[in-house]
Amino acid sequence: MLPVVLVVSALAAALGVWALVFAVQNRAVVLRQLIAGGVVEGALVVQGLVIAVEQVGGSLGSDPVLLWGYLLVAMMLLPGAALAAFVERTRWSSVVLVVAAFTIIVMELRMWQLWQA
């Protein structure tokens, strides 16, 4: 599970830094950033598959419901940020993407803690 958590966190961090640069430059989100968000979303789907396989194997952490909850909420953040980016074509769309990306990193850390419990 650790490699998947690290990959998702690294991808989300890269997206967050990229969006932060755009926010500082007073620029709106561009399509390439939304595509990068899709890559992060794909990594989250892969993480969901890993969690499902581990759950079937019986080696899931102490609270699988909470773990699945964190994963599902993390999967909803980027589509919500993308919707906000389409509606709000100002620097605030970049700020929303920064918040979503860094929230995913925090949720990944929490999922790792739950996995270890």
Side-chain angles (χ1 to χ4, degrees):
M1 175 76 171
L2 181 61
V4 178
V5 169
L6 292 175
V7 167
V8 172
S9 297
L11 290 171
L15 177 61
V17 169
W18 188 11
L20 182 63
V21 168
F22 269 54
V24 169
Q25 293 176 347
N26 201 20
R27 295 174 56 192
V29 170
V30 294
L31 181 60
R32 291 184 309 245
Q33 289 172 316
L34 297 179
I35 292 169
V39 171
V40 175
E41 194 73 22
L44 286 167
V45 169
V46 169
Q47 184 176 22
L49 294 173
V50 168
I51 291 172
V53 167
E54 292 294 326
Q55 186 172 13
V56 169
S59 63
L60 203 56
S62 63
D63 196 353
V65 174
L66 191 57
L67 183 66
W68 280 105
Y70 273 107
L71 180 65
L72 293 175
V73 170
M75 292 176 89
M76 288 189 276
L77 285 172
L78 286 175
L83 180 63
F86 280 122
V87 172
E88 183 68 33
R89 297 299 306 153
T90 64
R91 78 179 279 201
W92 294 107
S93 62
S94 294
V95 172
V96 168
L97 190 58
V98 168
V99 170
F102 287 114
T103 301
I104 287 173
I105 295 169
V106 172
M107 294 181 86
E108 286 294 316
L109 292 173
R110 182 66 180 128
M111 281 189 272
W112 176 246
Q113 288 174 344
L114 288 170
W115 189 269
Q116 296 302 308

